[in-house]
Amino acid sequence: MMPEQPLLIVDQLSLATKAKETLVNKVSFTLNPGESLGLVGESGSGKSLTLRAILGLLPQGVELNDGTIKSGAEAAMVFQDPRGALDPLCPVVKQVAEVVHYRQRLSRRASRAAALELLQLLGLPDSLAQADRYPSQLSGGQCQRIVIAMALACKPGILLCDEPTTALDVTVQRQIIETITKLQKELGFAMVFVTHNLAIAAALCSRLAVMKQGEIVEHGDALEILQHPEHPYTRMLIEAVLPVPQLEGSGPS
Ligand SMILES: Nc1ncnc2c1ncn2[C@@H]1O[C@H](COP(=O)(O)OP(=O)(O)OP(=O)(O)O)[C@@H](O)[C@H]1O
Ligand SMILES: [Mg+2]
């Protein structure tokens, strides 16, 4: 059998400021169809910039210095701050429907129906639609689910998640992670999941890449890295989250 073609190949990606200060240095990884890769590392290590490079949406002042990104599928991103990613003046169902309308080219009426289906898929209550709620009337966890729905409305082959649960309490964190795991099984997208929490990354992803100061310092099978971390920084991250919470599938159903 032919080996599986990667869906995404990031090869020697280097990003720098206009003044040529290196921000991301020779980052390389691949992503197979349906696979999930956890990108872990401290604040400022270059995780968000790497995702933005894959999305083709670098922030102002940051340039591609070197390297290539080859993607065989469309990517959509769940941004770091859910409330900031939503329009405060537009009802949430309408925001999801707009994405469906433009990305799936459905009529307004069909887009609203598709948006409501997405909300249901994400476990959001029907009352959100009936009352046409605004982002300020939703909890943080509900906003995050709306933002995930908007990303999924693009029908992405690759879902880029930038710390989607950092701002949430641990119970809601767990619910969102269970939802993402369920959706990935149902919809089959590949995923790059950014977090600074190694335990969350290991629960969600079969492979991990550990970033520090713009570089990948360790990269491999998630369990292998947890059991035999090679880089001192990875060891420190593991110590920071021990005891490792129950992994996927072992929690209450
Ligand atoms: N628009 C920008 N212009 C200049 N430097 C930037 C810009 N955006 C980010 N940086 C710098 O690039 C580095 C990596 O930033 P990035 O946002 O990727 O970090 P991160 O790993 O996502 O951190 P966090 O966990 O805090 O979100 C940081 O040093 C940051 O200051
Ligand atoms: Mg970030």
Side-chain angles (χ1 to χ4, degrees):
M1 210 167 81
M2 290 276 287
E4 203 170 20
Q5 275 291 95
L7 196 57
L8 174 72
I9 304 173
V10 177
D11 188 26
Q12 300 281 309
L13 175 73
S14 295
L15 305 172
T17 60
K18 290 216 158 69
K20 299 290 173 210
E21 180 203 349
T22 302
L23 300 173
V24 167
N25 192 20
K26 296 186 180 146
V27 160
S28 298
F29 57 82
T30 60
L31 189 68
N32 288 328
E35 190 186 30
S36 35
L37 171 77
L39 205 56
V40 201
E42 66 197 349
S43 187
S45 56
K47 306 181 299 293
S48 295
L49 285 184
T50 301
L51 288 194
R52 278 173 165 275
I54 297 169
L55 195 66
L57 205 74
L58 283 174
Q60 257 193 341
V62 179
E63 294 175 336
L64 180 75
N65 215 14
D66 201 9
T68 54
I69 296 172
K70 283 194 201 124
S71 176
E74 210 160 329
M77 182 139 156
V78 179
F79 286 93
Q80 205 162 352
D81 161 27
R83 252 181 234 285
L86 293 170
D87 178 351
L89 301 177
C90 181
V92 289
V93 177
K94 194 167 172 211
Q95 295 191 48
V96 180
E98 282 290 294
V99 181
V100 176
H101 177 65
Y102 285 105
R103 298 300 292 266
Q104 296 183 30
R105 295 168 195 276
L106 298 179
S107 72
R108 294 275 174 199
R109 183 187 286 263
S111 298
R112 188 172 169 91
L116 290 175
E117 254 175 55
L118 272 171
L119 297 202
Q120 209 173 33
L121 202 61
L122 276 145
L124 283 157
D126 290 344
S127 57
L128 286 188
Q130 284 151 13
D132 257 351
R133 302 282 194 87
Y134 290 83
S136 63
Q137 297 170 308
L138 268 59
S139 71
Q142 287 175 331
C143 280
Q144 190 55 270
R145 286 172 194 268
I146 295 286
V147 172
I148 296 170
M150 284 167 78
L152 294 180
C154 305
K155 298 213 175 229
I158 303 169
L159 189 68
L160 306 170
C161 293
D162 195 356
E163 311 220 32
T165 63
T166 306
L168 307 171
D169 75 59
V170 283
T171 319
V172 182
Q173 245 180 33
R174 189 183 176 97
Q175 290 164 358
I176 299 261
I177 284 168
E178 279 169 1
T179 304
I180 293 176
T181 310
K182 181 186 84 143
L183 290 175
Q184 195 184 15
K185 283 198 188 115
E186 280 174 24
L187 305 175
F189 50 81
M191 177 164 74
V192 184
F193 192 94
V194 161
T195 172
H196 54 253
N197 187 323
L198 197 59
I200 289 181
L204 263 173
C205 305
S206 52
R207 268 194 310 130
L208 298 178
V210 180
M211 280 189 85
K212 187 176 185 342
Q213 293 173 344
E215 296 184 5
I216 291 182
V217 295
E218 190 157 357
H219 182 189
D221 178 77
L223 273 181
E224 178 67 24
I225 287 184
L226 279 190
Q227 286 165 353
H228 308 287
E230 279 180 8
H231 198 279
Y233 178 64
T234 314
R235 269 182 238 138
M236 198 201 76
L237 282 179
I238 292 175
E239 276 157 26
V241 294
L242 280 176
V244 178
Q246 289 179 321
L247 299 184
E248 177 202 338
S250 55
S253 51

